[in-house]
Amino acid sequence: SLLQLKLWNKYRVSNIPSLIFIDASTGKVVCRNGLLVIRDDPEGLEFPWGPKPFSEVVAGPLLRNNGQTLDSTALEGSHVGVYFSAHWCPPCRSLTRVLVESYRKIKEAGQKFEILFVSADRSEDSFKQYFSEMPWVAVPYGDEGRRSRLNRLYGIQGIPTLIVLDSKGDVITRQGRVEVLNDVECREFPWHPKPVLELTDSNAVQLNEGPCLVLFVDSEDDGESEAAKQLIQPIAEKIIAKYKAKEEEA
């Protein structure tokens, strides 16, 4: 029915089963990954399962691939890319290769940036092998609770996913993967979302995430696409501002 379709679209459900918790008084989403919640907290001790700050969820020791540990407070004051990935997944491995270069470029440009690897590997050995290629930090593989809580916090539905946070721990973009692949020189870092995008292979995935307006223009004439952008940019900005004021995703 139309109502069912509206609900699927509203909550951007792309696979089933999917369980989403909502605060009935405000209608706001409390938690997207309800299935993980009931697996991790079968007694309901953490009810009402509302989002916690990143610093609280990540709290604890982090690893470097040389075996050194550091405390998660070391991330404070930096932009952070939270990287959900696994060695068994080919798109993850190819993104990691690009990301290693991006990470190096951003650090060399003097930006405060760290990446946190949250593994979905199937064994400690494959985690270690994969992590050995990474110059950043990771949640220890054995700390399954913390890995799961980070998955829950960001409602992760598939890998690879790169969530970029600002220095306060707030989400700048959930589309870090697309941004990194589209901006190899990292000129746009930290990749604040643009109101209007050019539709490409790598960002087409966003068409599944909510209502989209796609404007086709005559690509033979370059001036035309710029004019089209000028036309829809203010409309897009207005819509984004409206949702921002309501503290909702546009």
Side-chain angles (χ1 to χ4, degrees):
S1 75
L2 188 60
L3 177 61
Q4 283 171 318
L5 194 61
K6 275 185 172 168
L7 287 168
W8 278 69
N9 285 338
K10 181 173 173 60
Y11 299 115
R12 303 200 313 272
V13 175
S14 56
N15 46 17
I16 54 170
S18 206
L19 176 61
I20 296 170
F21 293 114
I22 292 156
D23 178 342
S25 59
T26 61
K28 284 193 177 158
V29 172
V30 173
C31 170
R32 290 195 169 278
N33 264 13
L35 295 171
L36 278 182
V37 168
I38 53 176
R39 190 197 74 187
D40 290 353
D41 184 23
E43 308 288 311
L45 301 177
E46 291 178 41
F47 183 81
W49 305 304
K52 296 185 168 79
F54 169 70
S55 57
E56 192 181 314
V57 177
V58 79
L62 302 176
L63 286 180
R64 290 211 174 273
N65 64 16
N66 60 7
Q68 275 184 323
T69 62
L70 68 162
D71 191 75
S72 57
T73 51
L75 299 175
E76 285 170 15
S78 291
H79 283 82
V80 177
V82 190
Y83 184 37
F84 298 85
S85 187
H87 190 260
W88 52 262
C89 148
C92 291
R93 291 199 302 274
S94 55
L95 179 61
T96 297
R97 286 193 290 274
V98 178
L99 200 50
V100 167
E101 285 304 302
S102 302
Y103 178 74
R104 190 178 55 75
K105 283 175 187 156
I106 292 164
K107 301 279 269 194
E108 280 174 2
Q111 301 263 17
K112 294 188 81 173
F113 181 51
E114 198 44 75
I115 292 177
L116 174 67
F117 172 41
V118 184
S119 166
D121 288 292
R122 292 173 177 152
S123 73
E124 176 101 35
D125 281 348
S126 86
F127 161 75
K128 280 182 176 155
Q129 183 195 342
Y130 193 28
F131 187 41
S132 70
E133 305 164 17
M134 300 179 183
W136 45 75
V137 296
V139 176
Y141 185 78
D143 194 343
E144 207 170 319
R146 198 160 28 140
R147 289 193 289 128
S148 187
R149 285 192 294 275
L150 284 160
N151 272 277
R152 253 162 58 191
L153 178 62
Y154 298 115
I156 301 303
Q157 298 206 347
I159 54 172
T161 294
L162 179 67
I163 310 254
V164 182
L165 311 178
D166 66 17
S167 54
K168 297 197 293 287
D170 296 326
V171 173
I172 291 176
T173 178
R174 301 176 57 87
Q175 301 292 341
R177 176 193 185 182
V178 171
E179 297 293 354
V180 163
L181 295 175
N182 278 351
D183 179 26
V184 178
E185 292 304 315
C186 307
R187 289 199 183 99
E188 309 273 330
F189 176 82
W191 302 302
H192 288 279
K194 295 189 189 72
V196 180
L197 291 174
E198 197 165 315
L199 190 57
T200 63
D201 280 358
S202 57
N203 66 27
V205 59
Q206 293 178 70
L207 296 174
N208 296 323
E209 302 227 330
C212 296
L213 172 71
V214 183
L215 181 60
F216 294 90
V217 294
D218 183 359
S219 60
E220 297 302 305
D221 171 11
D222 275 344
E224 199 159 318
S225 64
E226 200 39 54
K229 203 172 179 180
Q230 302 294 330
L231 177 71
I232 55 177
Q233 183 92 11
I235 301 168
E237 283 170 0
K238 208 155 128 188
I239 292 169
I240 287 169
K242 187 181 98 178
Y243 280 94
K244 211 169 193 158
K246 291 199 283 187
E247 291 181 12
E248 284 179 20
E249 286 188 50

